Amino acid sequence: MKKILIMNGPNLNLLGVREKSIYGSQDFVSYFEALKQQFASLQLHYFQSNSEGALIDKIHEVGFDFDGIVLNAGAYTHTSVALGDAIAAITTPVVEVHISNVHQREEFRHHSFLAKNCQGVICGFGLDSYRLGIEALIK
Ligand code: DQA
């Protein structure tokens, strides 16, 4: 069974509550349950942290063992050289995802410190970005 980790960074624990016009009104835990049913042939894991160090520790923990990581690093995408380096250091492929289309938003969201080290980037499809990320990893 393939092992895939979905990782959410800062403020994504507030999905369903936070800026609903941008991020929608569904909470991630209920969405994750639906994803698990949809991908019953996969071992799907979920990790969320608001802390950059905790995200890096988790990437190190699974990054030589899991078959893929779907990563929404939230605002750290645009600020964190360390997260980019963590992705470069591991062997597990990572797909960067965003719920919103970051390219339609403020200019500071247009740059990613992670993308270069990821297999690809998916953004702008709402929560469906995560499903598309999984599809890309298992293809
Ligand atoms: C986000 C986009 C980021 O710019 C923002 O900081 C987030 C969420 C997204 O999923 O659209 O926290 O990663």
Side-chain angles (χ1 to χ4, degrees):
M1 234 187 188
K2 284 193 172 170
K3 286 188 281 189
I4 306 280
L5 175 67
I6 296 182
M7 285 186 83
N8 271 340
N11 302 308
L12 292 164
N13 53 313
L14 294 182
L15 282 177
V17 177
R18 164 195 191 201
E19 296 177 279
K20 289 185 189 176
S21 60
I22 301 173
Y23 300 114
S25 48
Q26 188 171 4
D27 67 285
F28 198 80
V29 173
S30 69
Y31 176 70
F32 183 62
E33 287 309 312
L35 269 185
K36 280 199 291 194
Q37 287 185 10
Q38 209 174 330
F39 291 100
S41 62
L42 300 175
Q43 221 184 83
L44 283 189
H45 298 251
Y46 177 54
F47 180 78
Q48 189 277 331
S49 179
N50 294 316
S51 145
E52 188 176 5
L55 293 167
I56 292 169
D57 286 342
K58 193 69 180 177
I59 288 171
H60 293 176
E61 183 190 315
V62 306
F64 297 91
D65 174 36
F66 275 45
D67 299 288
I69 299 173
V70 175
L71 173 61
N72 184 350
Y76 291 145
T77 307
H78 321 300
T79 62
S80 180
V81 173
L83 262 177
D85 284 353
I87 295 166
I90 60 168
T91 53
T92 296
V94 177
V95 172
E96 175 183 326
V97 302
H98 300 283
I99 297 163
S100 63
N101 182 345
V102 287
H103 300 288
Q104 288 174 345
R105 301 180 64 193
E106 303 95 321
E107 195 149 345
F108 69 85
R109 296 186 203 273
H110 299 181
H111 181 258
S112 166
F113 281 101
L114 320 182
K116 175 179 169 295
N117 299 321
C118 291
Q119 201 172 62
V121 180
I122 295 167
C123 77
F125 296 97
L127 288 178
D128 205 34
S129 293
Y130 294 89
R131 181 190 63 80
L132 293 166
I134 296 170
E135 297 280 7
L137 283 167
I138 61 175
K139 275 259 159 75

